Amino acid sequence: MKKSCQHHHDSAPQELSTLTSRLRRESRKITGPRAAILEILRHHPHPLTNREIFDELPKGECDLATIYRAMQMLEKLGMVKRFDFGDGAARYELMGEGDDGHHHHLICTRCDTVVEIEECFPAEIEQRIAAKNNFKAVTHRLEFFGICPACQK
Amino acid sequence: MKKSCQHHHDSAPQELSTLTSRLRRESRKITGPRAAILEILRHHPHPLTNREIFDELPKGECDLATIYRAMQMLEKLGMVKRFDFGDGAARYELMGEGDDGHHHHLICTRCDTVVEIEECFPAEIEQRIAAKNNFKAVTHRLEFFGICPACQK
DNA sequence: AAATTAGTTGCAAATGATTTGCAATTGAGG
DNA sequence: CCTCAATTGCAAATCATTTGCAACTAATTT
């Protein structure tokens, strides 16, 4: 039995048409590879690496380099958010239009299960850190690691 | 004028002899390359990439692969802590013997200046996250990013 | 102090993630 | 259906990191 995620990703994913019109708006073409990539992302609640996306795609559907280029573009347009779980591979998650996609994950260090976390680093403390060091536009990158219930047995 | 760091790294670095005896204790050899690497680390308050260590070393002093192997070993012995600033290169910082080295950084996204942060993610919230998801041994990886005072001008 | 040996090193080749040059292809708009 | 800029596949290039292996050396033994 798979543990489900009780956050925003449980809700229906964005319509593909919503995504494509967003691309069109930026004068980007809706190509086969891109539609296929967006479909994969739409149906995955958790961040995927480029290789994972590649492996989900029917073989020959799209080149790995095309995926890398697509993800870069989508990130620049703010349509996906990039995450780093510290294992040397970038991961991407689709995000809603208004949403800034800021959230964190709890990752099992044994089986790589990923759970979305709603908690975030307290804003007041972050502001204090920014003020104390005279930094502007401070944000953070935060991920949690531990052993999931299944791996504890 | 360089902003100084007001935390534990301002204090005198560990003696080299302390470090080498720690290696000996683990039946590891004190070699030229290792002593040189430890010297570099001793004199740097902030995390260094393997390449940065390599570049600090007099040319020919030590092979890059040797540095990679040394850092892996030092990390396994708990003598250095590995950090990830999300730019695809691991960084290492020397840590005190008892110390678990857990702390965070504030990094300028324009000039890469690094400041050590004493604040940490609130333990109670982390415990709540662990409990809510039935995870054990939960820790976190956290780094802050922003624009430093110098780069704001 | 010389012999012994396990731990180390340099070098080159192998990996793995990501990027890039380029010629051929193809959406989108007219 | 034509035109053209955007996009793609493929191969080669980069970058960080790892690994095989024979030569080397610090630490221990004799």
Side-chain angles (χ1 to χ4, degrees), chain A residues 36-37 39-40 52-63 67:
Chain A
I37 292 170
E39 271 303 294
I40 303 280
E52 285 168 341
I53 294 173
F54 181 73
D55 293 337
E56 293 274 326
L57 253 26
K59 54 180 172 41
E61 171 80 35
C62 166
D63 192 82
I67 298 179

Side-chain angles (χ1 to χ4, degrees), chain A residues 28-29 31 34 62-63 66 69:
Chain A
R28 293 301 164 66
K29 294 180 180 173
T31 64
R34 287 181 180 174
C62 166
D63 192 82
T66 300
R69 284 188 275 232

Side-chain angles (χ1 to χ4, degrees), chain A residues 23 28 33-42 46-54 57 62-83 90-95:
Chain A
L23 281 184
R28 293 301 164 66
R34 287 181 180 174
I37 292 170
L38 288 172
E39 271 303 294
I40 303 280
L41 291 173
R42 262 166 37 82
H46 300 309
L48 293 176
T49 63
N50 286 323
R51 174 151 295 281
E52 285 168 341
I53 294 173
F54 181 73
L57 253 26
C62 166
D63 192 82
L64 228 201
T66 300
I67 298 179
Y68 274 95
R69 284 188 275 232
M71 300 316 291
Q72 267 188 205
M73 185 261 297
L74 292 173
E75 190 190 5
K76 204 165 303 172
L77 298 193
M79 292 178 59
V80 298
K81 181 155 178 78
R82 176 183 180 142
F83 289 94
R91 280 157 215 271
Y92 301 88
E93 204 173 274
L94 205 50
M95 38 180 212

